[in-house]
Amino acid sequence: QVQLVESGGGLVQPGGSLRLSCAASGFSFSISDMGWYRQAPGKQRELVAVIRSSGYTTYADSVKGRFTISRDNTKNAVYLQMNSLKPDDTAVYYCKRVSGTVYWGQGTQVTVSS
């Protein structure tokens, strides 16, 4: 059974940091490209960052220099380190397998507010 389980969301003040985690199971994680997406209220879901199986990374312009995606194939996990958070980063963040059969996690809420 395929599972993608996100964790690490919460409420943080502007300028703060959070680290999201996504635990994967039920598929060949090490050869999968993985991504983080987000959806703010009233907006379409958008790409935040992708990490290829090779380790190559890409980012949305809005998060470049502030967010870092990484993976640990020994733990079947992908992470999103978010620094210098802004209110515009408030959204539900989703983990996604972007190569092969697409799988989504259930999402974790990130709220940036003072």
Side-chain angles (χ1 to χ4, degrees):
Q1 181 183 1
V2 172
Q3 280 194 311
L4 291 172
V5 180
E6 301 98 333
S7 61
L11 174 64
V12 63
Q13 292 187 341
S17 298
L18 281 176
R19 187 191 192 215
L20 304 183
S21 300
C22 173
S25 61
F27 62 93
S28 299
F29 179 82
S30 64
I31 62 171
S32 298
D33 299 340
M34 300 296 297
W36 285 98
Y37 288 69
R38 67 185 181 186
Q39 187 166 18
K43 294 187 177 181
Q44 289 189 332
R45 195 170 296 189
E46 63 177 3
L47 170 71
V48 175
V50 171
I51 184 165
R52 305 295 177 183
S53 58
S54 63
Y56 182 78
T57 58
T58 56
Y59 297 91
D61 287 345
S62 59
V63 306
K64 280 181 183 176
R66 300 188 299 123
F67 291 11
T68 302
I69 189 171
S70 62
R71 66 191 296 160
D72 185 341
N73 290 339
T74 67
K75 297 181 179 179
N76 283 4
V78 60
Y79 307 99
L80 187 67
Q81 178 66 43
M82 305 186 295
N83 299 328
S84 302
L85 282 161
K86 306 174 181 179
D88 284 350
D89 295 317
T90 295
V92 178
Y93 283 71
Y94 297 91
C95 177
K96 178 185 178 183
R97 185 196 192 203
V98 300
S99 60
T101 304
V102 172
Y103 304 121
W104 289 92
Q106 83 290 347
T108 185
Q109 176 70 48
V110 172
T111 302
V112 185
S113 175
S114 55

